[in-house]
Amino acid sequence: MLTMYCVNILALFLFFSSTLGSYPQYDLDKADELFADFIKKYERKYVSAEEFRMRFEIFKRNLVKLNEWNANSQYENSGFIINQFADQENTPPCVDPSKMNNTMPLTEVKREFIVNAPDELDYSTQGLVTEIKDQNPCGSCYIFAAIGNIEGVHAKQTGQLVSLSEQQILDCMSSATCHGGHAYEVINYVASNQGSMSEADYPYIEKDKTTCRFDASKVKVKVNAAQSFNTPDDESLKGALVQNGSPLAVSK
């Protein structure tokens, strides 16, 4: 199977949630009520009064950010809302700087793709993006980025969109951890280890180095190799998205 991949890392941004054209402005005077609703919805349990107060202060600061982002949103069909990360200030590590020395040859983005890149491109409307996934506290976004890339390319080539397993990577790839990594290593692992199982057969449990339960008889997608695009600016990145014809995994 011929495959083409960009092997950068997708940086996950907390608090974003797609909505249907709504841009909530949260009443900061009711922050205590909103926090109580948040605690109930996400079943938060804080170990002390000090942690409760600390999380509440973070929550209030995040409400201010959400209001600012929604007030300045340039998108008609999306907004920012309270979600399970609203009492957190620091995101889990996703990129391991020690692994940012990718020595793979870079593929140049052809100028015609850069020049002719459309103003809008949404691969989720083309059946190339699976359902929304949640990495939870594990810093495994590099795995989600790589798996999303593989899912998209496979769907582009076969017409079949299959949700693949991130947990397989955490359990079975020797260098994979919840503390960051590099997407191209994930793609190369899938290429050299018989392929990827589905999310249904190997579900995500957000822990690294549990027992590897890989079953070659249940492989859904196989990969040849990873490929990097040279995208020094936004226009080149747009061109790479068009040239690749499916979602990319991106880092900088």
Side-chain angles (χ1 to χ4, degrees):
M1 180 176 68
L2 178 63
T3 55
M4 179 179 290
Y5 299 116
C6 173
V7 290
N8 298 318
I9 300 170
L10 174 64
L12 298 185
F13 197 75
L14 300 182
F15 308 117
F16 179 78
S17 178
S18 179
T19 65
L20 298 176
S22 61
Y23 306 97
Q25 287 293 307
Y26 294 104
D27 187 346
L28 301 182
D29 291 333
K30 296 182 178 180
D32 55 344
E33 297 177 21
L34 293 169
F35 191 52
D37 291 340
F38 167 83
I39 290 173
K40 181 178 180 180
K41 180 176 181 179
Y42 295 106
E43 300 180 345
R44 285 292 192 268
K45 297 183 185 300
Y46 302 121
V47 298
S48 65
E50 288 76 17
E51 184 185 6
F52 178 92
R53 287 191 290 269
M54 182 263 292
R55 293 296 175 188
F56 183 40
E57 290 303 315
I58 293 174
F59 181 84
K60 289 190 290 185
R61 289 196 293 271
N62 286 332
L63 288 183
V64 173
K65 293 178 183 178
L66 294 176
N67 285 344
E68 291 175 352
W69 293 336
N70 285 329
N72 297 313
S73 177
Q74 301 177 10
Y75 304 99
E76 295 182 359
N77 296 313
S78 63
F80 297 86
I81 64 174
I82 294 170
N83 67 12
Q84 68 268 35
F85 302 110
D87 66 344
Q88 299 179 30
E89 203 158 38
N90 298 314
T91 65
C94 181
V95 179
D96 183 348
S98 69
K99 297 182 179 180
M100 292 299 291
N101 57 343
N102 182 10
T103 58
M104 293 179 59
L106 295 176
T107 299
E108 292 298 323
V109 181
K110 295 181 180 179
R111 178 166 176 75
E112 63 259 33
F113 290 106
I114 298 175
V115 173
N116 297 319
D119 293 333
E120 295 184 6
L121 178 62
D122 185 354
Y123 281 131
S124 68
T125 64
Q126 300 181 28
L128 304 182
V129 181
T130 58
E131 74 284 353
I132 295 172
K133 299 183 180 183
D134 187 351
Q135 73 185 67
N136 291 311
C138 176
S140 55
C141 69
Y142 65 103
I143 298 175
F144 280 79
I147 293 298
N149 183 199
I150 295 171
E151 290 168 343
V153 174
H154 177 260
K156 179 72 174 180
Q157 293 182 350
T158 67
Q160 298 178 346
L161 182 61
V162 181
S163 183
L164 301 175
S165 173
E166 291 81 16
Q167 192 64 44
Q168 176 191 331
I169 308 302
L170 277 173
D171 289 347
C172 305
M173 183 175 125
S174 60
S175 62
T177 72
C178 281
H179 305 289
H182 210 311
Y184 83 89
E185 292 184 343
V186 175
I187 297 173
N188 282 336
Y189 163 81
V190 175
S192 61
N193 287 271
Q194 302 182 67
S196 175
M197 294 172 60
S198 70
E199 186 80 30
D201 288 332
Y202 206 140
Y204 186 65
I205 59 173
E206 67 186 83
K207 294 180 180 179
D208 56 10
K209 297 302 171 283
T210 60
T211 302
C212 179
R213 292 168 282 116
F214 177 73
D215 184 345
S217 69
K218 295 183 178 180
V219 163
K220 299 298 183 183
V221 175
K222 292 186 177 182
V223 171
N224 282 345
Q227 180 177 353
S228 284
F229 283 98
N230 182 23
T231 54
D233 51 46
D234 290 346
E235 294 305 310
S236 296
L237 179 55
K238 288 165 61 177
L241 279 165
V242 180
Q243 182 173 327
N244 194 55
S246 63
L248 302 177
V250 181
S251 71
K252 65 176 181 178

